[in-house]
Amino acid sequence: MLAGLPQEVEEYVIPEKETCSKCGGELIVIGKKVVRTEVEFEPAKLKVKQIIQQVAKCTMCGKEGSENPRDHFQKAAVPSPILPHSIATSSLVTQVIYQKFAQGLPFARQEKDWYRMGLVLSRGNLTNWTIRCSEEWLTPIYNRIHEVLLNCQILHMDETRIQCNKEMGKKASSESYMWVIRSGACEDIRAAFFHYSRTRSGDVAKDLLWGFHGYLTTDAYIGYEKVEASKEIYCRRYYIESIPLDNQGEEIPGSKGAEGREFINLLFKVEQEIKDQPYEDKKQKRQDASRPILEAFWSWVEETAALSTTNEKLTTALVYSKNQRNYLETFLEDGRLPISNNLCEANIKPFATARRAWLFADTPKGATANAVLYTLVESARANDLDVYEYLKYILESMPNNDYLNHPEILDKYLPWSKELPEECRLIHKHKKCLKK
C-alpha cells in the first residue's frame, strides 16, 4: 500500500552527554529500532509563475547590403496558454474540474477552499473556466468518443434527470435529462458517453444512436422504440419494487413480488457460473440452463396475472414482463449480451450522487459541459487511468497541436489509447488503495 510513496527517515538519537537513567553510567550505542511507520500529508501549494519570452535582434538585418532592409526581432517559442489573458493554467483548471466531476465538490465549496489557500476565485470564474476549456479543448475528444462508440456491437443506454435553470421556454424547476451510453463489457474499448438534452424524447436516443446497428441494452422506456437496433431489456427492478415492506422497512415474506425476483435471481446465478466462459459456451449454457428457468417464469407470470391483487406495482411488473417478453429473452441469442444494465447504471451513479451537492446546472452551456466532463472522467475510470493526470495531459497538449487540420491526432487522447503517457495510468502496484 505504501510502496509507491516517497520515503524519509526521522531519527531520534540519544544526546552525547546523556547517562544511564538507572545508575548514571556511560552509554554505548548498540543499534537502532523502528518504532512505527507513519504517512504525512502535505497540503497542496500554489505558486505564481511568470512566463518570460526572450527576444533577439538579428545582427545582419537592417544593415546596408542585407537582404532584409529592416531590423528583425526574433522571439523564443512559447507554449500557447489554455485560456488567453487569464491566470488559468492546465494544472489549476484540471484541479477545479477534478474536484467537481471526480470528487463531487461544487464550485461554491471550492471557492472557499481556494480562498483558504490564498487565491480569490469566484464560482463565476470556476464556471467560466470549466465551460470554456470544455468547449475549446475537450469537446473534440468527447465527439470522437461518441463516433467510436457507434461502431460497437453492444451498447448500454439509460437516462437520468438534471435541472437546468435557464433553459429557454422551461421553468427553472423543470427537469431536463442526461442520457448515458456505455460500451458493452465484451467490447475492445471502455467508454461512457453523457449527453445533455432538454427533453426525454425518443428522438434524442434515435439521433444519438444514428448509425448504430448492434444490440442495445436498456429499460423498456417507450422512447427507445425509435432506435433502429436490436433491443434487450430487463425487469428485476420492477419485482423488487413490488415487494411489500413492514413498518421497519423489512420485506414481508411470501409475497408474489419476491417469487418473481427469485426466478430472476436464478438467471443471475447461471450468469455467475458462466461469467468466465467463452461467449459461444455462454450461449449454449443459457439455452440449457436459462431457457428452462424462463419458461417456468412465464408460466408463473400467466398464473399470477390471473389472480386478483391490490398491489399495483406487482400488476405493473407483470404487465411489463408480458409486453416485453421478446426483448427480455434477447440475451439468449448471443453469449456477449449482458443480463442487466448494471454497467451503465454504475456510470450514472457518480453523476446522481454528485447532483445532490451541486443541485442544478445554471445554463444549457453548463449542462453540456457537465456531459463532456463526466464523459471524460467516467471513461478514464473505466480504463484505469489517473483522472487528474489524464485531464491535465489533455489540457496541456490540446492548445498546442493542430487537431483542426489533422483530426486523426485526437485518437491519441482517447482514454483507451496506447499512446497515453505512463503517468496517466494507475499503477496498481503503487496505488492499490485507489483501486475500486
Side-chain angles (χ1 to χ4, degrees):
M1 186 172 67
L2 307 180
L5 301 178
Q7 298 186 15
E8 64 178 46
V9 175
E10 187 173 289
E11 186 174 334
Y12 294 85
V13 299
I14 300 171
E16 291 183 6
K17 296 181 180 180
E18 188 171 331
T19 58
C20 176
S21 60
K22 297 293 185 181
C23 67
E26 183 182 355
L27 297 175
I28 300 175
V29 176
I30 60 172
K32 299 177 182 179
K33 174 187 175 183
V34 177
V35 179
R36 61 180 178 268
T37 299
E38 301 175 333
V39 176
E40 287 279 352
F41 172 73
E42 294 185 358
K45 296 179 181 179
L46 295 169
K47 64 180 180 182
V48 177
K49 183 171 67 173
Q50 285 190 324
I51 307 299
I52 306 297
Q53 185 180 43
Q54 190 178 62
V55 181
K57 179 183 178 182
C58 178
T59 59
M60 298 297 295
C61 291
K63 291 185 176 181
E64 187 176 347
S66 172
E67 293 181 2
N68 183 12
R70 295 183 178 180
D71 292 336
H72 173 70
F73 297 92
Q74 196 155 311
K75 300 175 182 178
V78 177
S80 299
I82 186 172
L83 295 173
H85 314 295
S86 169
I87 64 170
T89 60
S90 58
S91 60
L92 184 58
V93 174
T94 299
Q95 181 64 10
V96 170
I97 290 172
Y98 177 78
Q99 286 192 99
K100 178 173 181 181
F101 297 96
Q103 300 295 90
L105 192 65
F107 290 148
R109 296 182 193 171
Q110 286 195 47
E111 182 180 30
K112 298 176 182 178
D113 204 37
W114 289 115
Y115 180 78
R116 179 186 63 82
M117 297 173 65
L119 183 61
V120 178
L121 287 177
S122 69
R123 67 195 73 177
N125 279 135
L126 303 178
T127 302
N128 183 49
W129 288 358
T130 300
I131 292 176
R132 287 182 61 191
C133 287
S134 170
E135 291 176 342
E136 294 182 32
W137 311 124
L138 304 179
T139 295
I141 300 171
Y142 167 81
N143 290 334
R144 182 60 182 145
I145 289 175
H146 183 220
E147 291 175 6
V148 177
L149 274 173
L150 295 180
N151 293 324
C152 291
Q153 292 298 308
I154 295 173
L155 292 178
H156 298 256
M157 194 169 188
D158 207 345
E159 73 288 333
T160 187
R161 62 179 179 80
I162 179 175
Q163 180 179 323
C164 182
N165 289 343
K166 296 176 181 176
E167 184 68 74
M168 187 177 294
K170 299 182 70 174
K171 293 182 179 179
S173 59
S174 61
E175 292 183 347
S176 297
Y177 287 87
M178 191 69 78
W179 297 74
V180 183
I181 304 173
R182 177 61 160 88
S183 57
C186 64
E187 298 293 339
D188 294 333
I189 67 165
R190 288 176 285 180
F193 180 82
F194 289 68
H195 173 79
Y196 168 73
S197 171
R198 57 181 285 135
T199 74
R200 200 187 179 201
S201 166
D203 289 328
V204 178
K206 179 181 178 180
D207 291 342
L208 284 174
L209 293 174
W210 183 262
F212 172 66
H213 302 293
Y215 286 97
L216 179 65
T217 301
T218 184
D219 59 24
Y221 168 52
I222 194 171
Y224 293 114
E225 293 294 332
K226 293 188 175 184
V227 177
E228 296 180 2
S230 300
K231 285 173 280 293
E232 176 199 27
I233 64 173
Y234 51 95
C235 64
R236 185 171 185 263
R237 184 180 72 231
Y238 291 91
Y239 287 100
I240 292 175
E241 292 174 350
S242 73
I243 300 174
L245 307 177
D246 60 23
N247 293 335
Q248 282 73 43
E250 300 292 333
E251 292 184 6
I252 298 176
S255 68
K256 286 295 182 180
E259 289 180 13
R261 180 186 62 183
E262 187 56 34
F263 281 106
I264 300 166
N265 285 346
L266 290 174
L267 293 174
F268 274 93
K269 185 177 180 181
V270 173
E271 293 300 308
Q272 183 65 24
E273 293 173 354
I274 64 176
K275 66 177 182 178
D276 297 324
Q277 295 184 15
Y279 294 126
E280 283 302 317
D281 293 349
K282 276 187 177 183
K283 179 180 177 180
Q284 186 58 49
K285 184 67 175 179
R286 285 171 174 175
Q287 296 295 328
D288 297 338
S290 299
R291 185 173 286 282
I293 296 172
L294 276 172
E295 293 302 327
F297 171 69
W298 295 126
S299 297
W300 174 86
V301 168
E302 293 295 334
E303 294 172 3
T304 306
L307 301 176
S308 176
T309 179
T310 58
N311 188 335
E312 294 182 0
K313 290 184 178 181
L314 177 61
T315 300
T316 299
L318 294 169
V319 172
Y320 176 94
S321 298
K322 292 171 69 176
N323 290 344
Q324 307 298 332
R325 177 168 179 169
N326 290 339
Y327 292 149
L328 288 167
E329 292 186 343
T330 303
F331 78 100
L332 298 172
E333 299 176 7
D334 194 318
R336 299 172 301 167
L337 294 174
I339 197 175
S340 73
N341 205 23
N342 289 347
L343 200 57
C344 189
E345 291 172 355
N347 284 120
I348 290 179
K349 187 175 181 180
F351 172 85
T353 301
R355 184 178 57 201
R356 298 173 189 167
W358 47 257
L359 301 177
F360 55 81
D362 193 44
T363 66
K365 277 191 173 184
T368 300
N370 269 264
V372 173
L373 269 305
Y374 274 106
T375 294
L376 292 176
V377 168
E378 290 305 311
S379 296
R381 284 174 168 164
N383 287 275
D384 295 325
L385 299 182
D386 184 317
V387 175
Y388 175 85
E389 292 294 342
Y390 174 60
L391 293 174
K392 181 169 170 281
Y393 170 65
I394 293 175
L395 292 177
E396 284 177 343
S397 305
M398 288 293 285
N400 295 286
N401 65 32
D402 192 18
Y403 73 90
L404 290 175
N405 293 318
H406 300 280
E408 67 277 4
I409 291 175
L410 295 175
D411 285 0
K412 67 184 289 188
Y413 301 109
L414 296 176
W416 55 85
S417 170
K418 303 297 183 183
E419 297 183 50
L420 291 175
E422 198 61 33
E423 59 264 26
C424 291
R425 307 184 188 282
L426 280 177
I427 305 173
H428 296 284
K429 177 181 178 182
H430 295 167
K431 300 184 179 180
K432 288 182 181 177
C433 58
L434 299 182
K435 191 175 181 181
K436 293 180 180 179

